[in-house]
Amino acid sequence: MATSLESRAAYFVFIAVLGMLTAVTPLSIDMYLPAMPGLAREFAVDPAYVQYSLSLFFLGLAAGQLTYGPLSDRYGRRPILYFGLGLYLVASVACALSESVGMLIAARAVQGFGAAAGPVMSRAIVRDRFHGSKAASVMSFVVMVMATAPLLAPIVGGLVLKFAAWQGIFWLLCVYALMCLVALTVLLGESHPPQRRIRDRSLLAQYTGYLALLRRGPIALFLLCGGLMFGALFSYVAASSFVYIEQFGIDESLFGFYFGANVFAMLIGTASNGRLVMFLGYRMLLGVAVLNTMACSLVLLATTLTGFGGFWGVAIPLFFLLSTVGVAGANTVAGLLDLAPDAAGAASALFGVVQFSCGAVATWAVGAFGGDAVAMAAVMCLASGGSTMAYIGLRLFTSAQPAQR
């Protein structure tokens, strides 16, 4: 009985540590959001420049997603985690000490590159230790632990701003990075021993293997369809604090609760997808998600241009729009793994690259268009329109092939 309890405790600790590492990314994005309007005022810059700090963070994440996988296949998971978390810690200190928006933007780019090690290595560690349905089960628990971060992070960020300046948010992220380093050192062993590491191929060959995936059927269309859906999501992330705090006068300390309502909508959609996909198939549900996002973004554009409904004219379309972004992500990954079952890690990394690259472009576009609710809605329309076109191309490309669930 003791052994059973010990093994169960070790399993829960394992899940908690991986969830903790994976949560680095959403905490870094969402805890910072309530401070963005104040940062624009303090540095006396246009809000677009503060939103560019998100764009560069996403570019750093995209570069890290692409970089860490092959390196960890060659050198192991723990060295990459130590490097990424160490870099993240240094960059977080630089963010806290930033005296100009330019320095903050550069530090956020480096912070994003370091933060990418957590989610990438967590997925790799799960693949190292588990297979098949067990791996899927473990990963779902990791995601559940991680999913609390977007709900709590903006609330915590708002509370920090009640008692400290915006720098306090980055000092808190430094503390979190140190906690991750301690947990990695004490609780997480190496899952990719030397005898299993890739030595017979050069790193260049491993990286060019990403390009080979794009020649497999409609993989590029899946990537574009799912990536642009996340472009719509990150448009909201970039503009939300300005829309809620500046445009509608929501207090900084309450912003997290409004933001969390839409995160809750995403969780409801993702949970529903887990049941519905068994009956309707991932391609049909991907189409439902894309069309819902397109329809809601058009409604949102109309309400923001006309002012119809005021706050609720923005909040209600956003709630329903964001409810299917997670559905698109889950079904895009299912499609990619269906087309590349022998290259699951590379396919997952490619999706991360496209996802965060689309996020970088979308957040930059929101700032370039003015950073307000109209800019957010316009970028969402462009992103969802591109995703719809990619989905139509996907259906046409595969219409002659056997139907896949």
Side-chain angles (χ1 to χ4, degrees), residues 172-191:
L172 188 57
L173 290 174
C174 289
V175 172
Y176 187 81
L178 287 171
M179 291 170 58
C180 287
L181 285 167
V182 171
L184 170 62
T185 302
V186 177
L187 301 173
L188 196 65
E190 177 59 65
S191 63

Side-chain angles (χ1 to χ4, degrees), residues 108-183:
R108 286 285 278 173
V110 178
Q111 190 188 40
F113 188 84
V120 172
M121 290 302 98
S122 293
R123 291 195 297 265
I125 290 168
V126 170
R127 291 198 305 273
D128 290 340
R129 295 194 174 183
F130 304 97
H131 301 282
S133 59
K134 184 62 175 177
S137 174
V138 171
M139 200 65 225
S140 67
F141 283 117
V142 172
V143 171
M144 283 177 62
V145 174
M146 182 273 293
T148 60
L151 285 170
L152 298 177
I155 297 174
V156 173
L159 290 175
V160 169
L161 293 176
K162 276 289 186 183
F163 303 101
W166 60 268
Q167 291 92 338
I169 292 172
F170 291 108
W171 290 124
L172 188 57
L173 290 174
C174 289
V175 172
Y176 187 81
L178 287 171
M179 291 170 58
C180 287
L181 285 167
V182 171

Side-chain angles (χ1 to χ4, degrees), residues 223-266:
L223 290 170
L224 190 61
C225 182
L228 285 170
M229 285 287 285
F230 277 91
L233 167 64
F234 291 133
S235 303
Y236 164 70
V237 171
S240 58
S241 58
F242 293 96
V243 172
Y244 287 132
I245 297 171
E246 298 285 290
Q247 188 168 337
F248 292 111
I250 302 299
D251 189 84
E252 289 176 343
S253 62
L254 298 177
F255 164 77
F257 295 98
Y258 290 88
F259 187 86
N262 290 320
V263 175
F264 186 64
M266 291 177 60

Side-chain angles (χ1 to χ4, degrees), residues 24-41:
V24 169
T25 296
L27 285 174
S28 305
I29 296 169
D30 298 332
M31 194 182 295
Y32 164 72
L33 296 180
M36 289 175 66
L39 277 166
R41 291 191 297 269

Side-chain angles (χ1 to χ4, degrees), residues 125-399:
I125 290 168
V126 170
R127 291 198 305 273
D128 290 340
R129 295 194 174 183
F130 304 97
H131 301 282
S133 59
K134 184 62 175 177
S137 174
V138 171
M139 200 65 225
S140 67
F141 283 117
V142 172
V143 171
M144 283 177 62
V145 174
M146 182 273 293
T148 60
L151 285 170
L152 298 177
I155 297 174
V156 173
L159 290 175
V160 169
L161 293 176
K162 276 289 186 183
F163 303 101
W166 60 268
Q167 291 92 338
I169 292 172
F170 291 108
W171 290 124
L172 188 57
L173 290 174
C174 289
V175 172
Y176 187 81
L178 287 171
M179 291 170 58
C180 287
L181 285 167
V182 171
L184 170 62
T185 302
V186 177
L187 301 173
L188 196 65
E190 177 59 65
S191 63
H192 193 55
Q195 63 269 23
R196 291 170 55 188
R197 295 174 189 173
I198 295 176
R199 300 291 189 183
D200 57 345
R201 284 193 297 158
S202 67
L203 278 173
L204 180 61
Q206 288 178 255
Y207 285 119
T208 53
Y210 286 127
L211 298 177
L213 278 177
L214 298 177
R215 295 195 291 269
R216 297 193 190 185
I219 279 183
L221 290 171
F222 265 116
L223 290 170
L224 190 61
C225 182
L228 285 170
M229 285 287 285
F230 277 91
L233 167 64
F234 291 133
S235 303
Y236 164 70
V237 171
S240 58
S241 58
F242 293 96
V243 172
Y244 287 132
I245 297 171
E246 298 285 290
Q247 188 168 337
F248 292 111
I250 302 299
D251 189 84
E252 289 176 343
S253 62
L254 298 177
F255 164 77
F257 295 98
Y258 290 88
F259 187 86
N262 290 320
V263 175
F264 186 64
M266 291 177 60
L267 293 177
I268 292 173
T270 304
S272 301
N273 180 75
R275 293 181 176 272
L276 293 174
V277 73
M278 302 302 295
F279 304 100
L280 300 177
Y282 64 78
R283 290 189 180 177
M284 179 177 290
L285 286 176
L286 178 58
V288 170
V290 167
L291 292 175
N292 175 71
T293 303
M294 182 78 241
C296 291
S297 63
L298 289 171
V299 172
L300 183 64
L301 183 61
T303 59
T304 54
L305 285 171
T306 62
F308 177 79
F311 172 80
W312 295 109
V314 173
I316 292 173
L318 271 177
F319 183 87
F320 287 103
L321 184 154
L322 294 168
S323 69
T324 51
V325 170
V327 175
N331 292 305
T332 297
V333 171
L336 290 172
L337 297 183
D338 198 24
L339 293 168
D342 59 324
S348 175
L350 264 183
F351 180 56
V353 172
V354 174
Q355 172 186 352
F356 290 116
S357 295
C358 287
V361 173
T363 52
W364 170 84
V366 167
F369 290 170
D372 58 4
V374 174
M376 174 183 69
V379 175
M380 284 180 165
C381 283
L382 291 172
S384 58
S387 186
T388 301
M389 294 301 294
Y391 180 76
I392 292 171
L394 181 65
R395 298 298 296 191
L396 292 174
F397 191 93
T398 58
S399 59

